[in-house]
Amino acid sequence: MAEPAKPEVTEEAKMDLLEDDDEFEEFEIDQEWDDKEEGNEALQQWEDDWDDDDVNDDFSLQLRKELESNASKN
Amino acid sequence: MADLLLQARDKLIEGDGMNGVTQGVNTAGLFSTGSGRSLAVSQRAVRRARELVGEEVDEATNNNYKKRKQPFGGDAGLEGEWTNLHVPFGGDAHNDNFFPMFQTGSGKAVLLIKDSIQKARAVLEENVENVAGAKQPMFHTGAGRSVLVSKSSIDKARAVLGGQMIANEGDVGGMDVPVSQAGSGRAVSISMASVQKANDVVEENNIKIGSVEGPGRPNQSLIFQTGSGRPVLISKRSVERSRALLMDEDAEFIGQRDTGCQLPILQTGLGRPVAVEQSSSKKASTVLENGDIKRSGNGDTNVCATPFQFETPKSVLMSSSLIMNDMTSTPEENTSVRAEKCFNDDGQLPLFQTGSGRSVTVSKGSIKRASAFLEPRNIAKELEDEAYLNGGYATSIFKTGIGKSILATENSRERAQFVLEAKEAVKQGYEDCGSPLPMFQTGSGKSVLVSESSVQKARAVLEEEEHYKLVKTDKKIAAFVSPLKSSRARTVNVSSTGVSRAATLLGLEENTLSTQFFGHVSDKLGTKITVKRGNPEHRLDVASTSAISSGTHKGTYPTENPTHMDRHQQFGFSKSTTSDAGEHSIRFSTAGGRSMAISADALQRARSLLGDSDLVVSPNDSIGHSLTSATEKLPKSTISPKGDVSNLSHGTRAIGYAVPDAPLTKKSANQFHMGREYRPINEIPKVPKPPSRCLSEGNNVSNAKDKTQWHHMPAGPLVDITNYMATCSGNTDRLANGKRIIGGRNSISPFKRPRSSRFITPIKNNKLSSAGESIVPPMQISPCRTMLSARYPFQHQRKNYKEYFGGPPCFKYLTEHVTDDVKLMDARRAEKFRFQHTATGAEEFQKMLLTCGASLSCATKEWVSNHYKWIVWKLASLERCYPTRAAGKFLTVDNVLEELKYRYDREVNHGHRSAIKKILEGNASPSLMMVLCISAIYSCPDQNNNKLEVNKVDTNEDNNDNQSLSATNRNMSANIELTDGWYSLDASLDITLLEQLEKKKLFVGQKLRIWGASLCGWSGPVSFHEVPGIVKLAVHINGTYRARWNDTLGFCKHVGLPLAFRCIKTSGGRVPRTLAGITRIYPVLYRERLPDGRSVVRSERMERKALELYHQRVSKITEDILFEQQENCDSTDDNEEGAKIFNMLEHAAEPEFILAGMAPEQLKLFSSYIEKRKIVKQNEVSKKVEKALEVAGLSKRDVTPFLKVRVIGLVNKHSASTSSNKEGLITIWNPTEMQKHNLVEGQAYSVMGLVPSNYCTEILYLHARGSSTTWKPLASAQTTDFKPFFTPRKAIELLKFGEVPISSEFDIAGLILYVGNTYLCSNKKKQWLFLTDGSKFISGQGCEEQDCLLAVSISSAPTDEDSALFSYTLSGNTVGFSNLVKRQKDETRQIWVAEATEISSYTLSNEIPRKSHLKEAAAAAERWASRSYHRINNYDAYFTVCKGQGDKYSSEGLAILGWTDQSSTPLTWELSSLNVYPFWLT
């Protein structure tokens, strides 16, 4: 999970170009898109069982370790 | 029309003062035909026309005439001719080619190109006869359309223009307008006024019109044009009549015309014709007449609908008429004064009656205006005094009794003036033509009415000095535009106190009320606001014209020079009044983003509710356009309410036109609110583009700029009441069209621009360094919906975390670049975080927000603190996650403030709410899929002693120990805190999630995709800061999935992925969505809850029987009760008369005779008694039946149908999992008919709403409700990636019965050999039946008689019905069985054994569907039976013997034939109990 080298980005550009994960989108809440979205594409299922440890990325593991290390520092 | 006018205006060459005034009209070239249609005539054409008639081009010898550059360049001669002209304000002249506009009578603009004009010129130059006889001259409109003008029309025109009479055209009976039939025969009428205009154009002398004996036919009408551009027909005669009423010398004419039967027709601003009776006109004359205040009876009796408070010093309500009165230059002041007095006497206005008899109240102002029309000389005189102020911007208003404003444009007034102007006008020779509206006819025969205004324009082009007065007069008269017209033509009244307050707010002196202030207000509302100050000597009337102050206009001509507001413009303005009024509707945006138009009237009401001080409304639509006619110099505006003539005149001028000392800018609307003393308090000296034109010759450039700046200034503290994102509430960028358009912001940087360029960070100000210091001026803590940030809406594609940083966080790069604050930052610390060096915390940021314009009511302490917490946490987390790139760059004051502003904008200005906020406010279901992040983990109350205190960061923080404890206590029932990045919400986990929490699979920072959650403790909309400890989000594991680290927080806009069937947890709550394939569908069953609490499940067949039995019992009980009732009814002891008769008849030997001899009253009593008795009887019976049924336990059946479906989870073909598909058995309670019929075995479905109920090792039991569960079949393409799951049903032969696994279901068809007796065993009714399919015999295998029988055990819960489970009569029939369960084989007797459960069913052979898999098997069995008679007889004999013995044993609890049920399973074959052995074993 090595971080690829990126060109230097100024501070201003950061906030201008970065899409935060909390920038929710305002949209009409209805269920119509439920029907529309299901087309002919093969359906995927959510198969990440809580009992399985293999999550889709190692971020969780890293974060957990980090939290634990922070806790130990305190 | 307004567009055309604006377009035409745009092409005007800028000129100075009067030149602009006169030529503006001329070059506008908008001629209006009699029907109001606009015709564009180039100035050149007009000039040529003028030349044709002998005039010389005025070479601008007059000081007031500065010729402008002629844009036409095609004609060298003309070009040379115009080159002599100079442009006074060089450089700004428009060189655009313009098509002078003529306007037809219907208001349509007609462009005439140069050629047409030239042709006209040629035609006019030549001998008329020659031209007409040979060919029809072709005119071309601006659009290139050819217009043939008949010779006669040309003659007319020529006659008109030359003052000649066309004898052969005259006296056309009944013709309104001169009509010629030349060309293609279509009549073209030209209004007299138009002709007059033309005449004016070509006449050497002013309005020297040829010998005309009369003004025209009785029904001749002049086309006036309203401010909205609609033509108004006013018969010349009526005007004449009015004039005659007012002018003695015209009385004779009136008398002559009175013979006409037509009523003069006026047309309202809406284009509706209004006929005015002569009496009404007389009333008007009476009102206006000198010394004659007498009014007709109608006028006396009619009531003025508009409150009229003219002289009252403290007038609260000023109608537009009054304002108009003020603004109207009344030629005869005495008349006006008298009229006012007259009105003041009784507060009533004379009522005019229309031709249809409808009463029309005409306001005083209208009458005064009429008087102005009728006194042209005085008007001209006035105009000279008025120095052309206000010219062209107002349209006189006539107001009807219902308050509707009638706009009369300058043109109309011009026409009126022309009609009444002088004797020449009266003498104008249209009698011969028979029409006051000169009508031209095109070559195709179409009639073209040329309005007077068009002619007037033409005239103005060629105008001589003599015309100037009249033009000015027209300007002056026309200087009104519907002051009363709001967007819905309502009158807006402003109290004097309100105005005073406003003036105070604006810092004006008592005598100097900012005209701009009122201009904005009135402009915004499209109304006229008239204010009378308390001091009667300083009355100040403010009039605004919506047309003039229209934002559209301003947006088009931001640098309008007042001198540019020439007649043409006013013409255009007047036409655009209606549209302008519409533009004044203010748009609100609801929280949901819906836009809502609020009329100015509604806004005004709202304002009145809010108090007068709220009068100041954002004039964002029309900044700089609010034309108000406040006084420029108050001393001049001082007027005694009942002053003398001079005072009134003076005051009117001063008040109405406000800039008396700027004669050359009299047409400038801007001047009105550019009063030098009047500057708004919050003026922002920011003008995007300085004016490029000077105001006038009398003003220097700097002054002009200065005024223009004021012209653009907003007035007063402006409240932007809209929340559109594009609204610039800074009150500075108002030049553009004020319409609030989403996304219409002039975005220099369309999305997040560098903060440093957007604003000066308040933190850098010293003021901000000290906390607690009030740095927010009170003015800025206003409810303004100020856009604080330019970030939203995002208009450019941005990069998400992964794209921006290149991947997920990697903590191994965590270096010393990251401070401890950042390293240890969590939500709780973030709330208390303060930036080093500046010690800036949430409180300081709140002040910054307020400084930037945020509302204190929105950016509360709680709000800022909350968002500050999440922003700081996020920024710190980014620095921590990407230390090499973001350390020290993200968690900055600027970023935090920008984020706060962005959030403020989205919430306050856009009405957007995050997921949690929507949920808490009840606007979104918590069951929707959303991604939330765990922001805190509380101790689990039930497991205090174990390791669930995960959030050690909190608990270990010394300063927050108490808070953590309190938080823990507060959230005793909550386990975690979830956030959407904007707000947070406590959540309670189900037991399965608690297990995951214990396993530390739930941790702070983990994002969860939550679906199907519910709220606990929520009873209604609640604010975010009231939530903790009260409202919780109940989440369960079947609807909670681990989300990706970079998933966007908030509601998901897409349908969620279905949870794999195998991942469903039995205790995990409702499954929002899963995929399953149906392998078996079982028959619908019926569960009846018995009164004793037990429940019975029946098949459909048994349910029918049970229902039938129920009805039988109920009917029996009912009959019994009825019978008893019948017997009891005999002993009625009713004492009433009817009862006596009844008893008498009952006991009478011959009741018929008694009935025949009864009186009618007795019969009536008897019949009523019978009826009453019947009702009583029915009630008694029903009560008794009810009781009896209740006693019998038959009161009501509680039956619930349900459908069982066996499903299997779908597994992807590419799945590495080798585990078998997980099976489930779904019970659908109360299935819908659709589900009953549409669910198909073998079909894969997306199922929503399943609830797991139980789980065993092999199968998952789920429940569903028919109404709340959706079964959406997957398309075949969607199922291709899944492993096959379905094994179709097939009929099992006994020959291969051994292949069927024990306990598995199977279907079979066979011949029923024997149906055993029912017996009771373990509280169940049981029954055996034996069948064979003959497959063993058919196969011819050895031991034919072994394994050839199948014994099926049928069981059912005991009910009180005696009917057998399986009818004996079915013996010998071939039957197809479904869903039997294989049991252990009776090895002793070599009989296969199966069990029929509640899901099993049978179908007779002849009832088996043709497509059924059992059909063929049943047919084979029947074929075998038909040829195996002997063998079957043997079976019969055997079972008959068994039956005889079985009866004996059954009574003793033993199963027939020795079959007994020991603990249900396994069945054992007890040989000892049998006396009879199977023949195949004997």
Side-chain angles (χ1 to χ4, degrees), chain B residues 385-391 515 562 627-633 636-637 652-678 695-696 699 703 707:
Chain B
D385 296 333
E386 294 290 338
Y388 323 120
L389 302 178
N390 248 353
T515 59
L627 169 61
T628 55
S629 59
T631 59
E632 181 181 8
K633 293 182 178 180
K636 287 187 177 180
S637 67
T652 302
R653 179 177 64 243
I655 294 170
Y657 295 94
V659 194
D661 58 347
L664 292 180
T665 60
K666 68 163 190 169
K667 306 292 189 298
S668 170
N670 300 335
Q671 289 261 332
F672 290 121
H673 59 90
M674 287 187 210
R676 287 183 276 276
E677 295 89 349
Y678 310 130
L695 286 172
S696 67
N699 297 324
N703 188 25
K707 289 182 177 182

Side-chain angles (χ1 to χ4, degrees), chain B residues 257-277:
Chain B
R257 301 293 173 263
D258 280 343
T259 55
C261 58
Q262 298 291 329
L263 292 170
I265 291 179
L266 295 164
Q267 195 164 10
T268 66
L270 298 174
R272 198 157 54 90
V274 177
V276 180
E277 277 190 354

Side-chain angles (χ1 to χ4, degrees), chain B residues 1362-1409:
Chain B
D1362 298 328
S1363 60
L1365 296 176
F1366 210 89
S1367 173
Y1368 298 111
T1369 59
L1370 289 175
S1371 180
N1373 285 289
T1374 302
V1375 176
F1377 285 91
S1378 297
N1379 308 320
L1380 296 176
V1381 180
K1382 184 178 180 181
R1383 297 301 181 193
Q1384 191 69 38
K1385 181 185 176 184
D1386 180 5
E1387 297 290 351
T1388 306
R1389 289 177 173 79
Q1390 297 297 307
I1391 295 177
W1392 298 108
V1393 178
E1395 182 181 7
T1397 65
E1398 62 184 12
I1399 59 173
S1400 303
S1401 64
Y1402 72 91
T1403 311
L1404 292 176
S1405 174
N1406 57 350
E1407 296 175 352
I1408 295 173

Side-chain angles (χ1 to χ4, degrees), chain B residues 1222-1237:
Chain B
K1222 194 172 183 177
E1223 273 197 304
L1225 189 63
I1226 302 171
T1227 304
I1228 307 174
W1229 296 100
N1230 288 309
T1232 63
E1233 290 301 314
M1234 292 279 289
Q1235 290 164 350
K1236 284 181 185 176
H1237 297 102

Side-chain angles (χ1 to χ4, degrees), chain B residues 1315-1344:
Chain B
V1315 177
N1317 294 332
T1318 57
Y1319 63 96
L1320 198 62
C1321 179
S1322 300
N1323 293 325
K1324 284 189 175 180
K1325 275 188 166 181
K1326 293 206 170 185
Q1327 186 180 30
W1328 284 102
L1329 61 87
F1330 295 85
L1331 60 88
T1332 182
D1333 60 356
S1335 58
K1336 196 78 173 180
F1337 307 106
I1338 296 171
S1339 66
Q1341 295 179 0
C1343 299
E1344 290 180 348

